[in-house]
Amino acid sequence: MKIYGIVGYKNAGKTGLMERLVTEITGRGISVSTLKHAHHTFDVDHPGKDSYRHRQAGAQQVLLASGTRWALMSELRGAAEPPLADLLQLLSPVDLVLVEGYKRDAHPKVEAFRAVTGNPLIAPGDPTVRAVASDTGLTLDRPVFDLDDTAAIADFILAEVGL
């Protein structure tokens, strides 16, 4: 599986870019999965539901399945967060995995950047950021794309990974 990341600070447009890239790339007949890092506690389950009650009772893992989808929830119960490489091994094989976050990992990335956030660019200090997708004109030592030019960003990523 090929891996490519989208990084950037909060409100930089990462999730919107990820969504558009998945639509664009799968529309070209390439299979895609995504992996998103969350910096906060999150829950995909809901209090009162059976699967939630199983986890609250102490289950290490709960697999919820239906005729439409399945989800495997694992509780760390105080263990360290698994590294990206371990999480990637849990995914079924696809052509491309797009990773949102994990900006400190060594995989190649595109940085989403919006000037209005007031955050600094990650790219100048990080050679794994291979390009920047921005809402403002930038002069850098690597490609800069318009944040909304999804097709061009997809072309760049696919060329980078050889798809």
Side-chain angles (χ1 to χ4, degrees), residues 44-146:
V44 296
D45 211 355
H46 303 285
K49 295 294 184 183
D50 294 349
S51 53
Y52 184 91
R53 293 171 60 191
H54 295 181
R55 287 188 307 118
Q56 291 303 108
Q60 193 74 24
Q61 290 187 306
V62 175
L63 196 148
L64 183 61
S66 74
T68 306
R69 71 186 52 88
W70 65 271
L72 176 62
M73 294 172 280
S74 298
E75 292 294 319
L76 294 177
R77 306 258 183 240
E81 180 179 341
L84 176 60
D86 291 357
L87 296 171
L88 289 167
Q89 290 182 22
L90 299 173
L91 295 174
S92 297
V94 292
D95 298 321
L96 177 65
V97 178
L98 290 174
V99 177
E100 182 177 341
Y102 290 95
K103 66 178 156 231
R104 290 179 184 83
D105 283 69
H107 59 284
K109 306 163 189 80
V110 169
E111 178 178 359
F113 179 80
R114 281 198 176 122
V116 70
T117 66
N119 292 311
L121 276 165
I122 297 167
D126 187 345
T128 68
V129 175
R130 306 292 298 254
V132 174
S134 177
D135 66 347
T136 187
L138 298 171
T139 302
L140 296 172
D141 62 350
R142 62 203 83 193
V144 177
F145 298 96
D146 183 291

Side-chain angles (χ1 to χ4, degrees), residues 36-41 101-104:
K36 180 188 179 356
H37 187 259
H39 292 285
H40 47 79
T41 300
Y102 290 95
K103 66 178 156 231
R104 290 179 184 83

